[in-house]
Structure formats: structure tokens, C-alpha cells
Amino acid sequence: MSGMMWLVIGVIVFIFAFIIIVYNRLIVLKIRTNEAWAQIDVQLKKRNDLVPNLVETVKGYAAHEKAVFENVTKARAMMQSAGSDVGKVIEANNLLTGALKSLFAVVENYPELKANQNFLNLQMELTGIEEKIAYARQFYNETVRMYNEYQQKFPGVLFAGVFGHTTRNYFEIEESEKKAPQVKF
Amino acid sequence: MVYEDIELNKRNTLFLFIFFIIIFIGIGYIIGEIYGDYYTGVLFAFVVSVVSIWTSYYHSDKIVLAIIGANKAERKFYPQLFNSVEGLSLAAGFAKPPEIYIIKDESINALATGRNPEHSAIAVTEGALLKLDKLELEGVIAHEMSHIKNYDILVSSVAAVLVGMIVILCDFITRNLFRTRMRKASARYGLLFILFVLIAAIIAPIAARIISFAVSRQREYMADASAVLLTRYPKGLIGALEKIKKEIYNPDEINRGIQHMYFTTPSYLSDNNLFATHPPIESRIERLSRMLYNQNGQNQL
């Protein structure tokens, strides 16, 4: 009977080791997506901090374009209140990107503004941040893909729910907004 | 997979350390024998090799950057370069971007060094900044970023420093010991011993060089491919390679001890040469073009 007992013990140890490996893998992937998200968040915050300055500068030349400023301010406020809710942040981001785009479209009508050094600096900074958001988004989506795939495939699918893992949202942007707002000179 | 590459590079670094200790102790033994006390020679060699390995692990980046005469870049002078490096480092998922250095050189080139992504540096020549457009430069930076991500930089930096040490030591043997002590030693140990010294003096540096070749060639194709994954734009890197192909090189400009670390080596050194550290530019372009073809389903070139 002792042979049987050893077999049972062996199987139990094997199953435990197996579960531990899957558990750790899930944790590693989860941490990696969180870190990737944090990198996007940093850039989004930087952009949010830049917006009031930009609005003030543009206002100095085009004070009567109220609708545009309202949209930008609204989107920025939404971004701030979104907190760590990925879905809301994505929505607010798309809104803000769109609002900024119409802001830059308005700027086209004000040649003096386009020559303002302060405005040019802000614009350059914004373009840099937009690029970084795009790169950080690329990495985030890659980590999310790995995390989600592991949760949906065997053996991860057996334990993902038990250990409280859920699939994450990709950070998708609207097709028309894939390019950073660019202003021709 | 990247993670397997990282393991492989860490293992190769360890092999490099062991290989270095063995060669160094061998050389210490020879020098000790010639001076009549092999024990001191071996002990001394052991201590020196451990110190060199420690130095090569923790400080090879600074040594390499000093050898090529690279200066730390300032953000206010190179805002675009900082933007590209920081963006690509986000795409690669690094916790912090590599440090940025500028090499005073008119040719288009770049290199990466360090021991891991947290302790890494990218150096770009002034020529690259001047002659490449933004997308081409990002292709080159992404290539170097891939070397960092794969830990290729660890092996190549450590190899550069340790190989340099072996070359210096073998020079020392040939210059000092051959003339003064050889007659005495050969009287004592015979012709076989002289042969041994000769082997140490000639083969060791060659063997050491071969390691740095092994580090390179295949890794370059890998880095090109990973670079495209980062930028999603093969044309940038292709454009940079096309421009390099047209350049006229001054052969003295590249230090041979670290040429395996650069983005490219002069074409007369790399074209189908057994001792080349890099694959020929044409075949790199060809592989990238194939990627472009697969990406778009049609050839856009």
C-alpha cells in the first residue's frame, strides 16, 4: 500500500508546484501591465499639466473662440477625475486629443500666435509627449496582450478567475486620432 | 524569445569570466616561471583577474565611453534626441531611459553599453545626428535599444574590457620577457617552453577576439528585427543603412578593440570577411526589406 501512498503524495506535490508556477506567472504579468500603465499615466499627467498653459497662451490671441477652450477644459477635467479607471482614462484621452486637435486648427487662423515663441515651445513639448504616449501605449498593449492571453489559455484559464485576475482593456485610440496633432507652418 | 536571449547572454558573460581567469592565470604562471617563482605569478594573476572582472562588470560602460571619447549630451542642445531615446525606452518597457552620449565623429554610427537596462548608455555620433532624419535616427536608436534589452551590451562591454586587458598583457610578455629573460628560461626549460610563451603571445589575443565575433554577427540581425518591433517602421532603419552604405570611411577612426560594439563597421571590413564583427550592410537591408514586404503584403521600396 505504501507504493500507492507515495504515488498520491507525488501527484499532490506535483499539482501544488504546478499551481504555484501558474500563480507566480499570473502575478508577474499583472505587475508588468500595471507598470506599463503607470508609464502611460506619467505622460498623460504631463500633458494635462501642459494644457492650462497652452489654453492661456492661445486665449491671449483668440479670446473669443470660447467653444474650443471649453471643450479642452472639459476633457482635461474628465481626465483628472478618471483616476486609475483605465476605461475612463482612455475615453478622456480620446476626448482631450480631439479637443486639442480643434484647438490647433483654430490656431491656424492666427499668424501672430503661430510666431509666438512661448506657443512654439509648448507645441513642441506637446508633440514630444504625444509621441511618448504612443510608445508607452504600444508597450502597454503588448503587456496586456500577454496577460490576457495567459488568462485565456490552458493552464492559466483554470486559475485566473480563482486568483482574482481579470482581462485588461487595450488602450485603443480612435482611428482618426492616430496621428499626433500636427500643425503646418 | 527575449527572455531566453537574456539568459544566454548572462551565461556567455559568465563563460567569458571563467575563460578570462584561466587565460590570466596561465599567463601569470608563465611570467612567474620566467622569474623563477610560479606561485607568486599565479596568485598575482588570480587577484588581478578578479579585480578586472569586477571592474569590467561594474565600470565597463564608463571605460568604453572614455575610450571612444564620448561626452554626455545635454537636453537643451539635443531635445529631439532625448525625445526619441525616451520614447523608445518607453516602448521597450525600461524603468528609466538610458543615458545619452555624443561621439565627436563625422561618420554615421552609434553604440550601446552598460550591464542592464537600468545601467545603460547610448552613444550617437555627431554625423548620425547631422545626416539622418528623425525616423532614420529612431531606427538606429531602436537597434541599440534592442541590444540593451537583450543584454547584448553586457557581453560586448565586458568582452571589450577583458579583451583589452589580455592584449595589453600579451604585449607586455612579448616586449619585456622575450628579450631579457628568454635565454635564461630556454636554458632551463628547453624549446617547448619558448613555444608555450609564443602561443600565449600570439594565440591569446586572437582567441579573445574570436569571442567578440561570436557575440556579434547573428545578434545584429536580431537587433535589427527587434528595432522594427519597437518603431514599427522598417523604412527608418533601412534609410539609415542606405546612407551608411554611401559613406566614405576613414579606417583609422574605429578602435579595433571595440568595433564589435558599434552600429556598423566600415564595409571593407564587414563584407564577407571571416573576421568581421558585423554582417554586410546589404544583407541587413535585404532582411529588413523582406520584413517591410511581409508587413504590407506588397513591396513598397
Side-chain angles (χ1 to χ4, degrees):
Chain A
M1 241 8 217
S2 105
M4 192 64 187
M5 200 180 75
W6 282 117
L7 186 70
V8 170
I9 291 176
V11 168
I12 289 173
V13 168
F14 178 78
I15 289 174
F16 257 101
F18 185 70
I19 292 175
I20 288 171
I21 290 169
V22 173
Y23 178 84
N24 283 345
R25 182 78 190 138
L26 280 165
I27 291 288
V28 165
L29 290 171
K30 185 183 181 178
I31 290 173
R32 216 180 277 162
T33 47
N34 287 346
E35 282 172 354
W37 177 258
Q39 297 281 16
I40 297 182
D41 215 36
V42 169
Q43 301 302 329
L44 291 178
K45 288 218 167 73
K46 267 193 199 167
R47 186 174 63 168
N48 246 19
D49 293 343
L50 209 65
V51 166
N53 225 333
L54 185 70
V55 168
E56 281 313 308
T57 311
V58 178
K59 256 185 189 167
Y61 292 81
H64 57 278
E65 307 268 6
K66 286 205 177 81
V68 177
F69 299 132
E70 260 169 36
N71 280 341
V72 172
T73 317
K74 221 193 287 168
R76 179 174 177 272
M78 195 176 150
M79 195 80 161
Q80 274 174 325
S81 64
S84 56
D85 185 332
V86 174
K88 274 187 190 163
V89 171
I90 293 170
E91 202 190 329
N93 172 68
N94 286 344
L95 215 65
L96 183 59
T97 309
L100 285 174
K101 226 160 104 178
S102 44
L103 180 79
F104 280 109
V106 162
V107 169
E108 282 299 293
N109 303 326
Y110 298 88
E112 298 131 71
L113 178 54
K114 283 201 292 180
N116 181 313
Q117 193 54 46
N118 192 24
F119 172 75
L120 288 176
N121 288 343
L122 284 170
Q123 191 192 22
M124 205 178 82
E125 213 175 315
L126 193 69
T127 311
I129 293 173
E130 298 273 0
E131 271 173 21
K132 281 177 197 162
I133 292 173
Y135 278 128
R137 198 172 61 82
Q138 185 179 316
F139 180 67
Y140 170 76
N141 283 344
E142 180 63 23
T143 58
V144 168
R145 191 187 57 76
M146 280 167 74
Y147 186 41
N148 288 356
E149 251 178 37
Y150 194 79
Q151 288 182 50
Q152 284 155 359
K153 282 196 304 199
F154 183 84
V157 69
L158 296 180
F159 303 105
V162 182
F163 293 138
H165 293 268
T166 48
T167 53
R168 294 285 169 95
N169 289 333
Y170 288 101
F171 190 160
E172 274 161 328
I173 50 172
E174 281 161 38
E175 205 53 40
S176 61
E177 289 171 1
K178 276 207 169 134
K179 274 183 185 142
Q182 274 179 346
V183 180
K184 291 182 195 89
F185 291 97
Chain B
M1 277 304 286
V2 170
Y3 297 100
E4 287 149 25
D5 285 328
I6 294 171
E7 284 312 308
L8 186 73
N9 276 325
K10 285 181 179 168
R11 212 179 313 138
N12 281 345
T13 308
L14 193 66
F15 282 143
L16 210 61
F17 286 157
I18 294 167
F19 179 79
F20 180 77
I21 289 188
I22 291 170
I23 285 201
F24 232 70
I25 287 181
I27 293 172
Y29 176 78
I30 295 167
I31 297 178
E33 272 292 67
I34 291 169
Y35 283 101
D37 181 6
Y38 75 90
Y39 182 75
T40 312
V42 168
L43 194 73
F44 189 68
F46 181 74
V47 172
V48 170
S49 60
V50 168
V51 171
S52 329
I53 284 170
W54 184 84
T55 311
S56 75
Y57 184 77
Y58 286 102
H59 301 290
S60 56
D61 50 347
K62 281 152 241 161
I63 296 171
V64 167
L65 289 168
I67 291 173
I68 59 174
N71 292 312
K72 208 160 181 181
E74 277 186 66
R75 183 181 291 272
K76 61 180 169 187
F77 296 132
Y78 305 97
Q80 189 59 67
L81 177 63
F82 272 82
N83 245 340
S84 301
V85 170
E86 283 164 2
L88 287 164
S89 124
L90 284 173
F94 294 166
K96 84 185 211 358
E99 299 197 359
I100 304 169
Y101 285 79
I102 306 289
I103 310 169
K104 267 203 170 32
D105 189 339
E106 280 169 26
S107 60
I108 301 171
N109 228 329
L111 67 76
T113 180
R115 62 179 185 274
N116 54 36
E118 285 74 42
H119 301 90
S120 61
I122 285 184
V124 183
T125 59
E126 283 177 346
L129 293 172
L130 208 69
K131 294 173 199 165
L132 298 180
D133 70 27
K134 187 179 168 240
L135 291 168
E136 291 164 347
L137 186 65
E138 286 194 343
V140 172
I141 292 169
H143 172 101
E144 298 305 329
M145 211 65 96
S146 310
H147 279 317
I148 293 175
K149 198 175 183 178
N150 299 337
Y151 281 67
D152 289 340
I153 49 164
L154 174 63
V155 191
S156 59
S157 306
V158 161
V161 171
L162 295 186
V163 168
M165 294 264 327
I166 291 176
V167 171
I168 290 171
L169 211 83
C170 287
D171 274 356
F172 178 76
I173 292 184
T174 42
R175 279 199 204 128
N176 292 342
L177 301 185
F178 260 133
R179 271 170 283 163
T180 55
R181 302 271 169 167
M182 216 41 176
R183 201 170 297 159
K184 223 162 99 189
S186 66
R188 207 151 18 126
Y189 300 101
L191 215 67
L192 209 68
F193 186 74
I194 301 174
L195 210 68
F196 191 44
V197 177
L198 263 174
I199 287 170
I202 296 163
I203 301 295
I206 295 177
R209 288 305 302 279
I210 284 169
I211 302 171
S212 55
F213 304 147
V215 172
S216 274
R217 290 179 111 176
Q218 203 54 36
R219 318 293 316 160
E220 294 305 321
Y221 290 126
M222 276 284 301
D224 282 348
S226 329
V228 170
L229 279 181
L230 285 184
T231 60
R232 309 276 160 100
Y233 191 74
K235 274 185 185 172
L237 194 49
I238 292 172
L241 287 166
E242 294 280 2
K243 278 188 184 166
I244 289 168
K245 209 170 80 179
K246 286 181 199 127
E247 289 215 305
I248 300 157
Y249 248 106
N250 178 0
D252 298 331
E253 270 168 22
I254 286 195
N255 183 323
R256 285 189 158 260
I258 46 170
Q259 64 163 343
H260 65 281
M261 300 188 67
Y262 276 99
F263 176 68
T264 63
T265 45
S267 56
Y268 69 89
L269 278 176
S270 66
D271 283 348
N272 299 319
N273 183 336
L274 182 67
F275 290 100
T277 59
H278 284 64
I281 287 178
E282 276 80 6
S283 58
R284 285 173 74 180
I285 293 176
E286 195 197 306
R287 287 192 189 206
L288 285 166
S289 307
R290 221 177 297 148
M291 258 180 251
L292 188 66
Y293 185 87
N294 291 338
Q295 187 186 38
N296 298 317
Q298 56 180 341
N299 202 337
Q300 288 199 342
L301 276 181

